[in-house]
Structures are given as C-alpha cells and as structure tokens.
Amino acid sequence: FMKADSENLLEPQWLLQQELARRCKKNARYSLRALANSLGLSHTVLSLALSGKRKLSKNACLKIADALTLSPEETKKMMNSRKPQKLESLPLVSPEILDVDTFAVISDWYHFAILSLLELPNSKLDSRWIAKSLGISSVEARLAIERLKRLKMISEKNGKWKQTTKSLKIDSTQSTAATRKFQKQILEKAIESMENDPIEKRDHTSITFTMDSKSVSYAKERIRQFRRELCAELESIGTPNSVFTISVQLFSMNQEKNKC
C-alpha cells in the first residue's frame, strides 16, 4: 500500500495545507490571504504553492520554518523536499489498510465524511457544497479535496467523483497522535449531536458492567464485527441521503491504570 513517509509530511505544500486547515478550524473566517500575511508571503505565491504549481524559494521556506517554529532538522528536511508534487504522481492507496503515516495526513474527521458524502446521489465535488453539508469552512473543504485527490482516494468517472475504494481500514493496533486526534474529534461531534439533534435522529446510550480484563481483545473483535455488519445492513436499506457515524467505546472505569 501507499505510504506517506516523514519526508513527504515535511514538504512545504503539505505543511502549509495542514497549517491553513488548523487555523481555519479555530476561526472559520480565516483566509488564505491572512495566512500569507502571517508568513510574509504574497497571496499569489502561497496559492500556487498550496496547489503544487510552484516551487518555493529557499527564503520563502525559511519564513515558513520560522513561522511554524520548525526544528533545525525539520527545516533541513523541508528544504530538501521543496519540489511540489502533482496530484497524479502518487500511487493508488490500498483498498484495505491505511498505514499510520498516510492516515496522519487525512486524520481530520471531515476527510472520511467527504468520502461518504460522495456516495450520495446528489453529491458534487464542490468545496462550497461540501462545506455547507458538513459545517466546515470552504477552505477546509478545498484542502481536503486536494489531499484526497493527491492520495488518489477519489477519482472521476462519467462526470461523477467517487471514492476509489469501497472500504478503507485504519491500522487500529497502534495508538498515535493522529488516531487519538481523530477519535477525539468523533467524540466531540457526538457531543455536538447530543446537544443539537432531535433524539429521533441519534442514539446516545451506554451500559456499565463487569468483565475479565483479559477479554478486551475478544470484545474489540466483536465490536468490529458488529460495526461492519450493521453498516452493510443500513447501507442496503432504502436510499442513502445523509452521512452518519457509528461510534462505540469500550474502556475501564477503574481508577488504577497500567502505565504505558
């Protein structure tokens, strides 16, 4: 499967996309021009760099490194990977498993929501439409679209953009900053739904019980099986018209924790 290694993650193009998305998340009205001003770059140069159409100068990279407080080693790696990559230059992502480095690039929840959104009959690959549908900014939507294209997770066929694979799996055997961020965002979206959505359109329930802690691995496998089976069943009923998420949590309520 395709792997986005640490060198790729330090490309100026990727760093700028991540930084713009981060700032837009804090302020939905944050703009590309505002980022350009904060970096000391022109709006045009930054726009071309983000789209992979222009290689940044050494001086521009140093400004970025200083603004993002990169370490000397990270700055060096960024300087060595200044050549922008075109969307069509990367290989196809595996239809089965996303490795942790690739997942880190698209670990914000809305990337996967966009993939599902494109399965709807009335879907369109338009940043404004996607932003309105998911409640994110147009900039976040546009950057997410660019990432999904670059990783070849979406493709166009007969004028319709679709996910290139029917199923994507994330390596759940490792706990990383990206996987923890993703799950935290899902929990935050669940709380948001609990506060704003009518009870007829959501389900927030829980059960507390006792079990042998050695059975956790068995429980995790049963939960995975349940998720897959229920998802397949629900996708086959009626006509899909909205994107939903099933989030199931299993954790110990005991105060004593094993040290990692």
Side-chain angles (χ1 to χ4, degrees), residues 1-2 93-100 102 167-172:
F1 46 78
M2 183 269 177
V93 177
S94 164
E96 292 298 327
I97 298 176
L98 285 177
D99 66 279
V100 293
T102 302
S167 177
L168 287 174
K169 292 176 61 178
I170 302 166
D171 185 359
S172 60

Side-chain angles (χ1 to χ4, degrees), residues 194-232:
M194 184 166 55
E195 296 292 342
N196 298 294
D197 295 336
I199 196 168
E200 295 82 8
K201 293 189 175 182
R202 61 177 177 83
D203 182 73
H204 290 80
T205 56
S206 62
I207 181 170
T208 303
F209 62 101
T210 60
M211 75 173 198
D212 189 334
S213 59
K214 295 179 181 178
S215 299
V216 169
S217 59
Y218 171 75
K220 289 169 67 175
E221 180 54 39
R222 286 294 304 275
I223 291 171
R224 279 192 288 267
Q225 181 181 356
F226 160 74
R227 287 199 314 261
R228 290 192 294 264
E229 291 178 352
L230 181 58
C231 181

